[in-house]
Amino acid sequence: MAKPKPPVIQQAVLNFSGLPNPQHLVTGMPPYYTTQQGAAYLADSLDVLRALPDASINAVITSPPYALHFKKEYGNASKDDYVSWFLPFASEIRRVLTDDGSFILNVGGSYNQGVPTRSLYHFKLLIALVEDVGFHLAQECFWFNPAKMPMPAEWVTVRRIRIRDSVEYVWWLSKTEWPKANNRAVLKPYSKDMLRLNAKGLNGTVRPSGHNIRTSFSDVDSGGSIPANVVEDEVPHDMLKMGNNAANDPYTLRCKEAGIKIHPARFPAALPEFFLKLLTSDDDIILDPFAGSNTTGAVAEKLQRRWIAVENVEEYLSSSRFRFEQVIDRLE
Ligand SMILES: C[S@@+](CC[C@H](N)C(=O)[O-])C[C@H]1O[C@@H](n2cnc3c(N)ncnc32)[C@H](O)[C@@H]1O
């Protein structure tokens, strides 16, 4: 007879700083697994969001299923229905955020069916999030993903009408007009050219645009240059310029070894890492309501933030534990 599984122990553990694991916030729902810093739930995220208290989450970082023509295996709302599908999640997300909290939403664009023109669904979504739900647009950011396929093939590689897409939209929304954020936490090293110019001394000038160019930037030097909302320099500090096809990360390797399907739509760890550093500090609580392989939770664990992840497909959540093999406290 198969040995019965041990029961899930439902007591809050303390994280590295002695603060409670955020599972204590989700009343009445047992986590699927927990780690020192976080708790993952196999559930519909609307249910978990509704169980969370007001103003309990510092940042939501997520990538929901996009509205695509071809249905991905986990199901996507169609473009026409997308905004109405998403708004109930968005209202709950706004409610659970602290007043200085941010909502980072990664969505991909899409073509109109049968023609080589683009849908406006992600812009309509942004407008609804601001005008109907009450978010503020802190900044529109872009994830440069050089690994994106030249799709749709009909327009890009067959008829050669369109060029290849290589960005995805990352809407940085905030609950109020004053989100907590610190760009000093994401500074990039100055380029060799900038350092050389600074050492040589620039000619102070006024650009045609009217901007003053100083003779040196040493007086404003705070340890690095301020990243753009699309970063185009080299790794490792070019954190948004990352493909999502990493073939050698431990999650991918362990999935392959175990013969488990790799999540088909992961974002790179660099994406949540950038925004976690920009928007949160140690022990803050981060939520990913569409967690997939739980990239966000793994990055939060590494950065010593606390996290809650929700995914409604067990296969994805189960293998997401590979990301925490060294640190998981209890499995189901
Ligand atoms: C684009 S993927 C997220 C991938 C993730 N960022 C990663 O790096 O692995 C979106 C995920 O949302 C999940 N999902 C869709 N609707 C959901 C819901 N109502 N509640 C919880 N998860 C949901 C899907 O199963 C899918 O795994």
Side-chain angles (χ1 to χ4, degrees):
M1 214 170 75
K3 211 172 137 193
K5 286 182 181 169
V8 178
I9 303 162
Q10 290 306 315
Q11 65 184 32
V13 290
L14 301 184
N15 82 341
F16 297 121
S17 311
L19 293 168
N21 181 295
Q23 67 177 289
H24 74 282
L25 293 172
V26 189
T27 42
M29 299 181 76
Y32 188 73
Y33 65 81
T34 63
T35 66
Q36 195 76 38
Q37 297 284 108
Y41 290 84
L42 177 63
D44 187 317
S45 54
L46 207 46
D47 295 337
V48 173
L49 280 160
R50 286 179 178 144
L52 284 167
D54 293 357
S56 55
I57 301 290
N58 301 97
V60 172
I61 300 183
T62 200
S63 173
Y66 304 164
L68 301 171
H69 295 309
F70 54 93
K71 299 268 179 202
K72 287 216 169 170
E73 42 212 291
Y74 46 74
N76 302 70
S78 78
K79 287 192 289 271
D80 290 342
D81 301 337
Y82 198 83
V83 175
S84 48
W85 171 75
F86 195 73
L87 287 193
F89 294 94
S91 301
E92 286 297 316
I93 288 170
R94 188 167 184 279
R95 180 186 65 76
V96 303
L97 278 173
T98 53
D99 281 352
D100 62 0
S102 284
F103 173 26
I104 298 297
L105 178 63
N106 164 223
V107 278
S110 181
Y111 276 84
N112 292 319
Q113 184 125 37
V115 288
T117 57
R118 299 284 281 173
S119 159
L120 294 177
Y121 92 92
H122 49 300
F123 297 116
K124 287 184 181 166
L125 175 64
L126 175 62
I127 289 168
L129 290 171
V130 173
E131 295 192 345
D132 301 343
V133 183
F135 279 107
H136 298 264
L137 176 61
Q139 196 159 6
E140 60 274 47
C141 301
F142 302 90
W143 163 25
F144 176 40
N145 178 1
K148 265 174 110 58
M149 299 291 287
M151 299 294 283
E154 176 72 7
W155 314 129
V156 184
T157 57
V158 179
R159 296 211 214 176
R160 299 291 185 124
I161 298 170
R162 292 289 166 233
I163 49 180
R164 200 161 55 85
D165 281 323
S166 63
V167 293
E168 288 194 12
Y169 300 83
V170 182
W171 305 136
W172 170 14
L173 298 151
S174 53
K175 180 162 176 173
T176 63
E177 286 164 325
W178 294 99
K180 174 168 110 175
N182 174 15
N183 73 20
R184 289 189 179 86
V186 287
L187 295 178
K188 303 188 321 173
Y190 289 116
S191 67
K192 281 187 190 142
D193 281 349
M194 273 177 98
L195 291 170
R196 194 169 36 78
L197 268 176
N198 187 51
K200 204 172 91 184
L202 297 169
N203 293 327
T205 182
V206 180
R207 281 196 181 167
S209 60
H211 291 98
N212 279 316
I213 305 296
R214 303 186 197 207
T215 51
S216 135
F217 58 83
S218 57
D219 55 336
V220 292
D221 183 358
S222 53
S225 68
I226 297 164
N229 59 349
V230 179
V231 184
E232 291 184 77
D233 292 339
E234 301 83 47
V235 287
H237 293 279
D238 178 5
M239 290 188 286
L240 295 186
K241 184 186 173 185
M242 298 284 286
N244 63 345
N245 60 351
N248 294 317
D249 66 87
Y251 162 78
T252 309
L253 291 176
R254 286 288 286 110
C255 283
K256 282 182 187 160
E257 267 168 35
I260 293 171
K261 220 170 141 0
I262 295 163
H263 194 286
R266 289 159 292 138
F267 50 35
L271 192 70
E273 181 164 349
F274 181 83
F275 288 104
L276 280 173
K277 287 180 174 169
L278 178 65
L279 304 172
T280 65
S281 37
D282 283 5
D283 299 320
D284 276 0
I285 301 179
I286 286 82
L287 168 70
D288 187 342
F290 300 98
S293 66
N294 203 5
T295 313
T296 305
V299 174
E301 186 90 12
K302 187 181 87 178
L303 295 179
Q304 217 181 311
R305 273 60 165 169
R306 291 179 288 167
W307 57 267
I308 294 170
V310 193
E311 169 57 51
N312 64 0
V313 175
E314 182 162 16
E315 190 185 10
Y316 298 148
L317 198 62
S318 175
S319 54
S320 76
R321 292 176 301 189
F322 292 148
R323 296 192 184 279
F324 303 90
E325 275 181 335
Q326 308 302 315
V327 288
I328 282 189
D329 295 318
R330 299 178 298 276
L331 303 181
E332 82 284 12

